[in-house]
Amino acid sequence: MAAKSNPRVKGESPPIVSSAHLVSDQSAEMSEFEFGLIVASNAFHRWVVHCMAAAGLKDLTPLDVVVLHHVTHRARDKRLADICFIMNVEDTHLVNYALKKLLSLGVVASQKNGKEVTYAATESGRAYVQRYREIRESCLIDALQADDALNRDIGELARLLRVLSGMYDQAARAAASL
């Protein structure tokens, strides 16, 4: 049974979705959002890997790149649990594997404080992140040609993504309790 089309402005295109069988009569927009998120997420992952390769660090996964960025963030030592919490990664093994890879490349260093291990970017890691930033400015930010209105829209989109991440987290907890 096909989902009824969501009431839209006459003449407007049908929703662009990846899973028509999931389109809800109550919110076709959520299916459109999810498809956009899938496509944007994959494009973002491809971007960070290529940008970091252009900066000189090749063969990293998207998670490796974002972990390096987070470890560099604010020049403070980070614990594995804190990295996972901030990045909303449930499987600590994935982040731990990324940290080991970054340690072996010499871009992250670890330090033991009692029972805890903390991680920080090395000088080499900070240099790669700085080069990444330069490439990002050149290839992404300059191409964006953002004006105040577009930057406001991007900020609002970021806010909505944070709200939706909370909704998805709550829905995941609800589904796990079924």
Side-chain angles (χ1 to χ4, degrees):
M1 177 171 153
K4 291 192 306 188
S5 63
N6 193 12
R8 292 175 168 256
V9 176
K10 190 163 184 95
E12 192 173 309
S13 307
I16 299 173
V17 300
S18 68
S19 303
H21 59 279
L22 296 178
V23 176
S24 169
D25 290 342
Q26 296 177 4
S27 181
E29 293 81 2
M30 187 59 98
S31 292
E32 288 182 288
F33 165 76
E34 289 172 346
F35 182 58
L37 186 61
I38 291 165
V39 173
S41 175
N42 287 322
F44 175 73
H45 288 165
R46 187 172 34 259
W47 156 249
V48 298
V49 165
H50 284 285
C51 186
M52 190 55 83
L57 273 179
K58 298 180 185 338
D59 301 323
L60 295 183
T61 67
L63 185 60
D64 299 336
V65 175
V66 295
V67 166
L68 176 57
H69 285 302
H70 183 64
V71 169
T72 305
H73 178 64
R74 300 200 193 274
R76 291 189 211 137
D77 290 1
K78 312 283 189 320
R79 298 177 311 138
L80 173 63
D82 296 331
I83 296 167
C84 292
F85 177 72
I86 293 296
M87 294 176 53
N88 201 20
V89 175
E90 191 173 333
D91 189 349
T92 59
H93 298 336
L94 295 173
V95 174
N96 194 42
Y97 183 79
L99 286 166
K100 286 182 183 197
K101 186 173 181 178
L102 297 169
L103 283 162
S104 73
L105 292 171
V107 295
V108 167
S110 64
Q111 179 177 330
K112 195 160 181 149
N113 298 324
K115 291 183 177 182
E116 301 228 324
V117 177
T118 58
Y119 301 90
T122 63
E123 187 175 325
S124 171
R126 289 187 299 276
Y128 283 116
V129 168
Q130 178 58 38
R131 181 68 184 129
Y132 179 104
R133 177 189 165 97
E134 293 162 3
I135 293 166
R136 181 177 180 270
E137 286 290 324
S138 168
C139 294
L140 182 64
I141 303 302
D142 289 351
L144 183 62
Q145 297 181 349
D147 57 20
D148 288 343
L150 181 56
N151 279 326
R152 277 191 301 276
D153 289 345
I154 291 169
E156 177 61 11
L157 179 58
R159 186 191 70 75
L160 288 170
L161 285 170
R162 289 188 301 273
V163 168
L164 285 166
S165 72
M167 290 174 59
Y168 277 105
D169 281 342
Q170 180 57 39
R173 282 189 291 278
S177 70
L178 295 177

